[in-house]
Amino acid sequence: MPWRLKEVIPEALKKAGGKEKLKRGLVLAAWREVVGRELAQLSEPLALEGGALTVRVADPVTAHQLTYSRLALLRRYEEQFPGVVKEIRFVVGPLEKEPETPKTPENPERLLWASRRALELSEKAPLELREKVARAALALLQKDRGEPCPICGSPSPKHPCPTCRRLLESPWVRKEAERLKRGRPTGLEGEALLVARHLARQSLLSEMEALYPQALRDETLRPLLRDLAQRFRTLFPGETLPEAVRSLLAKEA
């Protein structure tokens, strides 16, 4: 009885161990589709062993975001490869894959001049704002790379910049922003801290704006407005309160 091709190939793969290798290859190749294009650029699948898929990610924030979405990722894998991927583990480290869009080479002399000038300008700013001022100044001095991101100050053709947009959606960063808003310490640093401060600032301003009309009519609500204002001043000492809020609280003093 002649063999049929569709019956022979699976059996041959099984005998050679090729079926499992093929399955692992398909699982790794499907990572981009499962996780989405943006996060796929910040991660890469490494291995599938014993039902556990190991994925390397570029930074701790991305690792936290993917860990938060782990169950959803497992469900997507289950739809494509039933019973194959039972766990996903994330490790932080430098990615080995080539970036999708190569960066435009910098002019070394222009970059050196722009960096020195940005540092000079930042020295005139308050200590807590120097890093952000330096970033903004550097972006303005390198207009070919885009205007400065309003959050981190990094040059970018899109605002907020891709890094800040990703951090704005991070549940971890949002949680830390709530801690900052309540006057509690945070372990964030770099862009993640700047984004958390931005979120805390927007939240405090929004709450003061919503409470002001009520506090204007009801004096018992003014202590709440004063508390929000005090937290805003503590977190952002270089900024002024909204004029209406400042005027109302000045009358109470």
Side-chain angles (χ1 to χ4, degrees):
M1 180 179 179
W3 289 353
R4 294 180 181 178
L5 189 60
K6 66 179 181 180
E7 296 174 351
V8 173
I9 290 179
E11 184 63 25
L13 285 171
K14 184 176 181 181
K15 289 182 179 179
K19 190 172 184 179
E20 289 303 316
K21 292 180 181 178
L22 177 61
K23 188 183 297 182
R24 285 198 295 270
L26 291 174
V27 167
L28 299 184
W31 173 251
R32 178 185 176 88
E33 179 183 348
V34 168
V35 77
R37 182 175 179 273
E38 185 174 349
L39 286 173
Q41 295 180 26
L42 301 168
S43 59
E44 57 187 1
L46 298 178
L48 176 66
E49 298 291 342
L53 175 64
T54 302
V55 178
R56 181 188 287 129
V57 294
D59 56 74
V61 173
T62 304
H64 183 86
Q65 185 174 353
L66 289 173
T67 300
Y68 186 83
S69 306
R70 185 173 55 84
L71 293 180
L73 298 174
L74 286 170
R75 282 196 297 270
R76 292 171 195 165
Y77 263 123
E78 184 65 20
E79 292 172 359
Q80 297 190 39
F81 306 95
V84 176
V85 181
K86 301 175 182 178
E87 182 59 76
I88 303 178
R89 300 167 183 166
F90 301 104
V91 295
V92 178
L95 304 184
E96 296 181 358
K97 62 183 180 181
E98 293 293 328
E100 292 188 2
T101 305
K103 296 182 179 179
T104 304
E106 293 281 2
N107 181 324
E109 294 182 0
R110 176 175 174 78
L111 180 59
L112 180 60
W113 170 82
S115 300
R116 287 175 176 171
R117 181 60 179 149
L119 286 174
E120 291 174 3
L121 293 171
S122 68
E123 289 175 356
K124 300 177 182 179
L127 184 61
E128 67 272 12
L129 297 176
R130 285 183 182 177
E131 181 180 354
K132 190 171 183 178
V133 170
R135 288 174 179 270
L138 184 59
L140 289 172
L141 293 167
Q142 295 177 287
K143 287 188 176 181
D144 56 311
R145 296 183 60 193
E147 297 298 316
C149 169
I151 297 177
C152 70
S154 298
S156 173
K158 295 182 179 180
H159 294 162
C161 69
T163 298
C164 288
R165 281 206 310 274
R166 177 168 53 86
L167 291 170
L168 284 169
E169 299 300 322
S170 168
W172 178 39
V173 174
R174 288 181 173 274
K175 182 178 178 180
E176 292 301 303
E178 285 296 315
R179 290 178 59 85
L180 284 174
K181 194 177 75 172
R182 287 169 172 72
R184 298 174 183 172
T186 177
L188 295 179
E189 57 185 27
E191 283 85 353
L193 176 59
L194 292 174
V195 170
R197 284 175 57 84
H198 171 79
L199 289 171
R201 179 181 181 277
Q202 294 297 100
S203 180
L204 286 170
L205 288 173
S206 177
E207 289 183 28
M208 283 190 286
E209 181 181 356
L211 185 59
Y212 169 75
Q214 303 174 53
L216 194 61
R217 297 188 299 268
D218 186 350
E219 294 185 1
T220 62
L221 295 176
R222 293 180 188 179
L224 294 177
L225 184 62
R226 186 177 298 279
D227 177 64
L228 289 173
Q230 183 58 44
R231 281 190 268 162
F232 185 87
R233 287 193 184 106
T234 301
L235 195 55
F236 307 101
E239 297 191 35
T240 58
L241 291 169
E243 178 61 31
V245 173
R246 186 155 49 94
S247 177
L248 178 61
L249 295 180
K251 294 177 182 178
E252 293 289 305

